[in-house]
Amino acid sequence: MISLTETGLFSTEQLKVLSRLKVKDVRDLFYYLPRKYIDRTQKLDLRSSRAGDLVTVVGQILHAEMKFAGRRRFTIKVEANGFIIYATFFNAGPYLQKVLQVGTQVACWGKLEVYRGRLSFMHPEWEVMTEDGDAGSTVHTGRIVPIYRITEGMRAAYLTVKSLRQKIETCLQKYEKRIADYISPETLKAWQMPGVAEALHKIHFPATIEETEYARRRMAFDELMLFSVLNEEKKAAIRRIEKSHKIVINLALKKEIEALEKTLPFELTSDQKKAIFGLMQNSTASYPVNHLLMGDVGSGKTLVALLLALVYMRNGLQVAYLAPTEILARQHYQTFLNILPGGSFEGVELIIGKDAAKERRAKLDRLARGDSRLAIGTHALIQDDVSFQNLALIIIDEQHRFGVEQREKLRAKGKTPDLLSMTATPIPRTLTLAYYGDLEPFYLKEKPKDRLKIDTRLFAESDLDRIYKAVRKYVSEGRQVYIIYPVIEESENSDMASLVSEYAALERDVFPDLRLGLLHGRLTGDEKERAMQKFKEGLIQVLVATTVVEVGIDVPNANVIVIRNPDRFGLSQLHQLRGRVGRGEHQSFCILVAPDRLTAEGQQRLDALVRTDDGFELAQTDFQLRGAGEMTGLRQSGASEFHVADLRIHGDLLDKAVEYLQSHPEVQAQFGSLKNIQQALEKGLVLFGN
Ligand code: ADP
Ligand code: MG
């Protein structure tokens, strides 16, 4: 590639500044993409233009004059299409005087003013026209012009938006034909996509704003192509690893699982059956597998995970089941004991923070020796003193609650363990392949039979009395109710204080005759456990809580959830909260008590929630509202955001890129080494050819 030095367009200072921004050659310069565009296509028209309009004028300088009245003032008189317009520049240097001479063809763009009865511009953007004087050949005026990000350093080196724009234009003119394309013209035509050179040209100097989208689509494709190359390579690398454990699914094991399924109080959904079968199948691979199980709240993921755990355990291997909260860890532990015949199971350990030292030691010894096969726990599982004899499967419940580091730390406790990530925030398929890219995910779309749709309604705070009345009615019918407050558990703020006082008020004034309970993150594990247990047993009728209950808690008799200030929660979080009800045979209600003033986005979120209780649809809405970078579960996936591609718009291109790569394996070589590709992606440059 031609270095910037070779172009002869940049001063030493400028080269230095650009190089610090990783712009070293012409290609880097081309990928210094516009931050935005300004439409300067509007021409001055005496019939329709008004003072204040932003317009372009192209004409000849009839008169030029420098005046010194306190400060220097330079004025030119321009004749364009038979009318006269003046342009004035204050504090003008000799440079202007030298360039804008009488007889010169000039283009000016700026705000049209009428000053002392004369059409004028103050400090317009200007440029001297080339010989032919064709307005189409302007760079800075009379067209849609690109605006670039200019850093302090660039400014100090006299690299302004205008000078940079000029240099990019010159380089494009000169070198754009040298840009090679890895896609054939025929394919491009079939895809209705521009070539690289055309795309670059159009992204900098589009004739219309639509053209930028057209160009961007091509660049997005290239970026996703690079991403796919890396992804394929990552996958191939994983497949080359020989896993240290082996899973055999023999007839006895199959029989045991079938028999177990029969003892359940309900029939598995067909999605659950498919997932169990598929996961078991995957687990027999010779390389470490990365299973992903996505299922809406209440779709029954736990059971699927526990049955898979059983497969590993029966193969003499160990499993770690990581849950985000103590309450959930206990609940999963209990579920496991319940599904196993006999009700008790040796070799299952519950590892949570509050264990007494001696008790913990004993549990850890059993795990280290391999006497126990399954460890269900919270973050306490990740601690250094926890070791396994042959850890072969890691299950991560509500995986978006955990960071990459935590996952890796747990993974390091085994040799080449398999991983099962579970989430109730389904991610569009394209995204899973983009970010997890390893194995096809399993979806639990089907809700267990007999589940009624949760009736979700939006109320105002002034409706609280009515709402409390309804709560009282359901409690009198024997049901239970959640009331959720938005408290940021981690922060030392007033939320907690207001929760405690609200609770006192509810207990004293609103429901003095009902049994209330309070659950939040600052309680000790024991206190939380006691509150949960009491709620499960029906001893607490109204549970006032924070998002501690958000994940996973299962109390089928609860049929109403009241959410205060729902606008302060994200869409997936709200959906999760709502999933606390609708778990039993009773019609359930989710009551959103919104403040009077909502942001537009807040309103959209709540509307979406009222409209549907399909988690997949909500995930799609969330994605459309916020983009991939913000989606729970993706933020921590380790993949950085794309620079050009936006999967909301360019999702289809990812599939296209993967397909193209498979049918044209030779293209990879054209991108250079994997390291190059990695760097290119990080830089936001989409490199190829030379
Ligand atoms: P999630 O996918 O949100 O983790 P859970 O695994 O907690 O859901 O399951 C929610 C509830 O549904 C539990 O009480 C569980 O016992 C029950 N359940 C699971 N599978 C079925 C099924 N096939 N039919 C009926 N109930 C089921
Ligand atoms: Mg769950």
Side-chain angles (χ1 to χ4, degrees), residues 42-55 112:
Q42 175 118 322
K43 297 266 161 52
L44 173 62
D45 180 332
L46 282 187
R47 275 161 312 178
S48 59
S49 295
R50 298 264 173 282
D53 285 359
L54 292 166
V55 293
L112 187 65

Side-chain angles (χ1 to χ4, degrees), residues 266-269 272 295-303 331-332 335 397-398 424 444 448-449 451 552 554 556 580 583:
F266 43 72
E267 167 126 27
L268 290 180
T269 65
Q272 279 174 314
D296 209 345
V297 227
S299 60
K301 295 183 290 293
T302 319
L303 203 56
Q331 191 175 287
H332 295 335
T335 306
D397 192 15
E398 310 292 346
L444 303 184
K449 273 207 300 269
R451 289 274 159 88
D554 190 32
R580 294 316 102 216
R583 295 176 162 249

Side-chain angles (χ1 to χ4, degrees), residues 487-507:
V487 172
I488 312 298
E489 303 273 359
E490 302 85 41
S491 66
E492 288 284 333
N493 59 21
S494 56
D495 287 355
M496 187 56 85
S498 70
L499 171 66
V500 172
S501 68
E502 286 264 1
Y503 178 70
L506 283 175
E507 228 181 4

Side-chain angles (χ1 to χ4, degrees), residues 17-18 21 32 149-159 164:
V17 174
L18 287 173
L21 295 170
Y32 198 80
R149 187 172 59 90
I150 298 294
T151 64
E152 278 304 316
M154 286 163 88
R155 215 183 304 282
Y158 299 105
L159 211 46
L164 182 65

Side-chain angles (χ1 to χ4, degrees), residues 253 256-257 260 306-314 336 340:
L253 182 53
E256 183 183 357
I257 289 183
L260 238 174
L306 288 175
L307 289 177
L308 184 69
L310 194 63
V311 169
Y312 284 70
M313 293 158 73
R314 292 294 188 251
F336 201 74
L340 287 166

